[in-house]
Amino acid sequence: LVLATRGGMVKKTKLGEYDSNRGGGVIAINLREGDEVISAILCSADDDLLLVSRKGQSVRFHADDATLRPMARATQGVIGMKFRRSDELLAMDVAREDAFVVTVTDGGFAKRTTVSEWTPKGRGILGVKAMRLASDERGSLVGAIVAHEGDEIFAIKSSGEVIRTAVDQIRATGRDTMGVTLTSVGEGDAVVAVTRNPEADEL
């Protein structure tokens, strides 16, 4: 199990460490003051992890023990990604070679980029562009999902409106590019969350 925090820390712990009959649960990670967990995923030592920040930066690194050694539950972990200025970690996922990284901004713009455009560079770095955010109109990223062409995503607005879109309907472009309009966003409204449609797995 790999945990990632908003401050860019990551920690890998063997699942056996969580075997417990405690009704109140067990400590999974020691958080620094002001930090919080933003992602928890299962992976193997053969996988690569992809981290994406709100300001559109990203890093890919191996999840093997040499790069990300297993640690006990009650530890802080190690630096997965560094940031500039007021940036923070938005998402973490397993980088699957036959998939796309779908990025969406709070201004309603989106694009998809093949995972193969990311080369493993190691953890603890500033990383490379996952999406170009050239203006305030486009805003910051609110979603970064590794998905396949046959998948669907939901984009949820602060107004309560939900947009359902097929991944293959989103424009495919390179990493350091701007997206196209996924949904129009009115004054005072914004896209606040993005998730993959789990029902697509059952079709």
Short mmCIF file of all heavy atoms in Angstrom, two decimals, residues 15-50:
data_model
loop_
_atom_site.label_atom_id
_atom_site.label_comp_id
_atom_site.label_asym_id
_atom_site.label_seq_id
_atom_site.Cartn_x
_atom_site.Cartn_y
_atom_site.Cartn_z
N LEU A 15 1.31 -4.88 2.96
CA LEU A 15 -0.08 -5.03 3.43
C LEU A 15 -0.16 -5.81 4.73
O LEU A 15 -1.06 -5.58 5.55
CB LEU A 15 -0.93 -5.71 2.35
CG LEU A 15 -1.36 -4.84 1.17
CD1 LEU A 15 -2.13 -5.69 0.17
CD2 LEU A 15 -2.21 -3.69 1.65
N GLY A 16 0.76 -6.74 4.94
CA GLY A 16 0.75 -7.52 6.18
C GLY A 16 0.87 -6.67 7.42
O GLY A 16 0.44 -7.08 8.51
N GLU A 17 1.44 -5.48 7.29
CA GLU A 17 1.58 -4.57 8.44
C GLU A 17 0.23 -4.07 8.95
O GLU A 17 0.13 -3.57 10.06
CB GLU A 17 2.44 -3.36 8.04
CG GLU A 17 3.88 -3.68 7.71
CD GLU A 17 4.73 -3.83 8.96
OE1 GLU A 17 4.34 -3.29 10.01
OE2 GLU A 17 5.77 -4.49 8.88
N TYR A 18 -0.80 -4.22 8.12
CA TYR A 18 -2.12 -3.71 8.51
C TYR A 18 -3.02 -4.81 9.08
O TYR A 18 -4.18 -4.54 9.41
CB TYR A 18 -2.81 -3.07 7.31
CG TYR A 18 -2.12 -1.80 6.85
CD1 TYR A 18 -1.18 -1.84 5.82
CD2 TYR A 18 -2.38 -0.58 7.45
CE1 TYR A 18 -0.53 -0.69 5.40
CE2 TYR A 18 -1.74 0.58 7.04
CZ TYR A 18 -0.81 0.51 6.01
OH TYR A 18 -0.17 1.65 5.61
N ASP A 19 -2.51 -6.03 9.20
CA ASP A 19 -3.30 -7.10 9.81
C ASP A 19 -3.48 -6.80 11.29
O ASP A 19 -2.53 -6.84 12.07
CB ASP A 19 -2.59 -8.45 9.63
CG ASP A 19 -2.61 -8.93 8.20
OD1 ASP A 19 -3.46 -8.45 7.44
OD2 ASP A 19 -1.77 -9.77 7.84
N SER A 20 -4.69 -6.48 11.67
CA SER A 20 -4.96 -6.10 13.06
C SER A 20 -6.43 -6.31 13.37
O SER A 20 -7.30 -6.17 12.50
CB SER A 20 -4.59 -4.63 13.29
OG SER A 20 -5.02 -4.19 14.56
N ASN A 21 -6.71 -6.65 14.63
CA ASN A 21 -8.10 -6.79 15.06
C ASN A 21 -8.53 -5.62 15.93
O ASN A 21 -9.53 -5.68 16.64
CB ASN A 21 -8.30 -8.11 15.81
CG ASN A 21 -7.36 -8.23 17.02
OD1 ASN A 21 -6.63 -7.30 17.35
ND2 ASN A 21 -7.40 -9.39 17.66
N ARG A 22 -7.78 -4.52 15.87
CA ARG A 22 -8.14 -3.35 16.67
C ARG A 22 -9.38 -2.66 16.10
O ARG A 22 -9.42 -2.28 14.93
CB ARG A 22 -6.99 -2.35 16.69
CG ARG A 22 -5.73 -2.88 17.35
CD ARG A 22 -4.65 -1.79 17.35
NE ARG A 22 -3.37 -2.32 17.80
CZ ARG A 22 -2.25 -1.61 17.83
NH1 ARG A 22 -2.26 -0.34 17.43
NH2 ARG A 22 -1.12 -2.15 18.24
N GLY A 23 -10.38 -2.48 16.93
CA GLY A 23 -11.61 -1.87 16.49
C GLY A 23 -11.44 -0.42 16.08
O GLY A 23 -12.18 0.10 15.23
N GLY A 24 -10.47 0.27 16.66
CA GLY A 24 -10.26 1.68 16.36
C GLY A 24 -9.29 1.93 15.25
O GLY A 24 -8.95 3.08 14.96
N GLY A 25 -8.84 0.87 14.58
CA GLY A 25 -7.90 1.03 13.47
C GLY A 25 -6.47 1.15 13.95
O GLY A 25 -6.17 1.11 15.15
N VAL A 26 -5.55 1.32 13.00
CA VAL A 26 -4.13 1.43 13.30
C VAL A 26 -3.56 2.65 12.58
O VAL A 26 -4.14 3.14 11.61
CB VAL A 26 -3.35 0.17 12.87
CG1 VAL A 26 -3.80 -1.04 13.67
CG2 VAL A 26 -3.51 -0.08 11.37
N ILE A 27 -2.43 3.13 13.03
CA ILE A 27 -1.77 4.26 12.38
C ILE A 27 -1.20 3.80 11.05
O ILE A 27 -0.47 2.81 10.99
CB ILE A 27 -0.65 4.82 13.28
CG1 ILE A 27 -1.25 5.41 14.56
CG2 ILE A 27 0.14 5.89 12.53
CD1 ILE A 27 -0.21 5.85 15.58
N ALA A 28 -1.52 4.55 9.97
CA ALA A 28 -1.01 4.21 8.65
C ALA A 28 0.18 5.08 8.27
O ALA A 28 1.04 4.66 7.49
CB ALA A 28 -2.11 4.36 7.60
N ILE A 29 0.25 6.30 8.82
CA ILE A 29 1.33 7.22 8.49
C ILE A 29 1.39 8.31 9.54
O ILE A 29 0.36 8.71 10.10
CB ILE A 29 1.12 7.85 7.09
CG1 ILE A 29 2.31 8.70 6.66
CG2 ILE A 29 -0.17 8.63 7.04
CD1 ILE A 29 2.23 9.19 5.21
N ASN A 30 2.58 8.78 9.84
CA ASN A 30 2.74 9.93 10.72
C ASN A 30 2.80 11.19 9.85
O ASN A 30 3.73 11.37 9.07
CB ASN A 30 4.03 9.81 11.55
CG ASN A 30 3.92 8.79 12.65
OD1 ASN A 30 2.82 8.39 13.04
ND2 ASN A 30 5.05 8.32 13.15
N LEU A 31 1.81 12.04 9.98
CA LEU A 31 1.72 13.23 9.15
C LEU A 31 2.42 14.42 9.78
O LEU A 31 2.38 14.60 11.00
CB LEU A 31 0.25 13.60 8.92
CG LEU A 31 -0.56 12.64 8.04
CD1 LEU A 31 -2.04 13.00 8.11
CD2 LEU A 31 -0.07 12.68 6.60
N ARG A 32 3.05 15.22 8.93
CA ARG A 32 3.61 16.47 9.40
C ARG A 32 2.48 17.45 9.69
O ARG A 32 1.39 17.33 9.12
CB ARG A 32 4.55 17.07 8.35
CG ARG A 32 5.79 16.21 8.07
CD ARG A 32 6.63 16.80 6.95
NE ARG A 32 7.85 16.03 6.73
CZ ARG A 32 8.74 16.33 5.80
NH1 ARG A 32 8.55 17.36 4.98
NH2 ARG A 32 9.83 15.57 5.66
N GLU A 33 2.72 18.43 10.53
CA GLU A 33 1.69 19.40 10.88
C GLU A 33 1.19 20.12 9.63
O GLU A 33 1.96 20.60 8.81
CB GLU A 33 2.24 20.43 11.86
CG GLU A 33 1.18 21.40 12.35
CD GLU A 33 1.73 22.34 13.42
OE1 GLU A 33 2.89 22.18 13.83
OE2 GLU A 33 0.98 23.25 13.83
N GLY A 34 -0.12 20.13 9.45
CA GLY A 34 -0.74 20.78 8.32
C GLY A 34 -0.86 19.94 7.07
O GLY A 34 -1.46 20.37 6.08
N ASP A 35 -0.30 18.74 7.08
CA ASP A 35 -0.34 17.86 5.91
C ASP A 35 -1.52 16.90 6.03
O ASP A 35 -2.07 16.71 7.12
CB ASP A 35 0.97 17.09 5.78
CG ASP A 35 1.25 16.63 4.36
OD1 ASP A 35 0.41 16.90 3.48
OD2 ASP A 35 2.31 16.01 4.13
N GLU A 36 -1.90 16.27 4.91
CA GLU A 36 -2.98 15.29 4.93
C GLU A 36 -2.80 14.30 3.79
O GLU A 36 -2.18 14.61 2.76
CB GLU A 36 -4.35 15.97 4.82
CG GLU A 36 -4.56 16.76 3.56
CD GLU A 36 -5.92 17.43 3.52
OE1 GLU A 36 -6.87 16.88 4.11
OE2 GLU A 36 -6.04 18.50 2.90
N VAL A 37 -3.37 13.10 3.94
CA VAL A 37 -3.30 12.06 2.92
C VAL A 37 -4.27 12.41 1.79
O VAL A 37 -5.42 12.77 2.04
CB VAL A 37 -3.66 10.68 3.51
CG1 VAL A 37 -3.74 9.63 2.41
CG2 VAL A 37 -2.63 10.27 4.56
N ILE A 38 -3.80 12.33 0.54
CA ILE A 38 -4.66 12.62 -0.61
C ILE A 38 -4.85 11.41 -1.51
O ILE A 38 -5.70 11.41 -2.39
CB ILE A 38 -4.13 13.82 -1.42
CG1 ILE A 38 -2.70 13.59 -1.91
CG2 ILE A 38 -4.22 15.10 -0.59
CD1 ILE A 38 -2.59 13.06 -3.29
N SER A 39 -4.06 10.35 -1.31
CA SER A 39 -4.20 9.17 -2.14
C SER A 39 -3.66 7.94 -1.44
O SER A 39 -2.69 8.02 -0.69
CB SER A 39 -3.46 9.36 -3.48
OG SER A 39 -3.64 8.25 -4.34
N ALA A 40 -4.30 6.79 -1.70
CA ALA A 40 -3.84 5.50 -1.18
C ALA A 40 -4.11 4.46 -2.26
O ALA A 40 -5.26 4.27 -2.67
CB ALA A 40 -4.57 5.15 0.10
N ILE A 41 -3.06 3.82 -2.76
CA ILE A 41 -3.22 2.85 -3.85
C ILE A 41 -2.42 1.59 -3.57
O ILE A 41 -1.45 1.61 -2.82
CB ILE A 41 -2.79 3.43 -5.21
CG1 ILE A 41 -1.31 3.81 -5.18
CG2 ILE A 41 -3.65 4.63 -5.60
CD1 ILE A 41 -0.78 4.23 -6.54
N LEU A 42 -2.84 0.50 -4.21
CA LEU A 42 -2.10 -0.75 -4.15
C LEU A 42 -1.18 -0.83 -5.36
O LEU A 42 -1.58 -0.48 -6.48
CB LEU A 42 -3.05 -1.94 -4.14
CG LEU A 42 -3.99 -2.07 -2.94
CD1 LEU A 42 -4.97 -3.22 -3.17
CD2 LEU A 42 -3.20 -2.28 -1.67
N CYS A 43 0.04 -1.29 -5.16
CA CYS A 43 0.96 -1.45 -6.29
C CYS A 43 1.94 -2.57 -5.98
O CYS A 43 2.02 -3.04 -4.85
CB CYS A 43 1.69 -0.15 -6.60
SG CYS A 43 3.02 0.25 -5.45
N SER A 44 2.69 -2.97 -6.99
CA SER A 44 3.73 -3.97 -6.82
C SER A 44 5.08 -3.34 -7.11
O SER A 44 5.16 -2.21 -7.61
CB SER A 44 3.49 -5.14 -7.76
OG SER A 44 3.81 -4.78 -9.10
N ALA A 45 6.15 -4.07 -6.83
CA ALA A 45 7.50 -3.54 -7.05
C ALA A 45 7.80 -3.37 -8.54
O ALA A 45 8.76 -2.69 -8.91
CB ALA A 45 8.53 -4.47 -6.41
N ASP A 46 6.98 -3.97 -9.39
CA ASP A 46 7.18 -3.85 -10.84
C ASP A 46 6.50 -2.62 -11.43
O ASP A 46 6.69 -2.31 -12.61
CB ASP A 46 6.65 -5.10 -11.56
CG ASP A 46 7.40 -6.36 -11.15
OD1 ASP A 46 8.62 -6.27 -10.91
OD2 ASP A 46 6.76 -7.43 -11.07
N ASP A 47 5.70 -1.93 -10.64
CA ASP A 47 4.94 -0.79 -11.13
C ASP A 47 5.76 0.50 -11.09
O ASP A 47 6.77 0.61 -10.38
CB ASP A 47 3.67 -0.58 -10.30
CG ASP A 47 2.64 -1.67 -10.52
OD1 ASP A 47 2.56 -2.18 -11.65
OD2 ASP A 47 1.92 -2.00 -9.56
N ASP A 48 5.29 1.49 -11.84
CA ASP A 48 5.76 2.87 -11.72
C ASP A 48 4.63 3.70 -11.14
O ASP A 48 3.44 3.43 -11.41
CB ASP A 48 6.15 3.45 -13.08
CG ASP A 48 7.48 2.92 -13.59
OD1 ASP A 48 8.14 2.18 -12.84
OD2 ASP A 48 7.84 3.23 -14.74
N LEU A 49 4.98 4.72 -10.38
CA LEU A 49 3.99 5.63 -9.82
C LEU A 49 4.07 6.98 -10.54
O LEU A 49 5.15 7.44 -10.90
CB LEU A 49 4.22 5.83 -8.32
CG LEU A 49 4.04 4.59 -7.46
CD1 LEU A 49 4.41 4.90 -6.01
CD2 LEU A 49 2.61 4.06 -7.54
N LEU A 50 2.92 7.60 -10.73
CA LEU A 50 2.84 8.92 -11.34
C LEU A 50 2.20 9.89 -10.36
O LEU A 50 1.09 9.64 -9.88
CB LEU A 50 2.02 8.87 -12.63
CG LEU A 50 1.90 10.18 -13.41
CD1 LEU A 50 3.24 10.55 -14.03
CD2 LEU A 50 0.84 10.06 -14.50
#
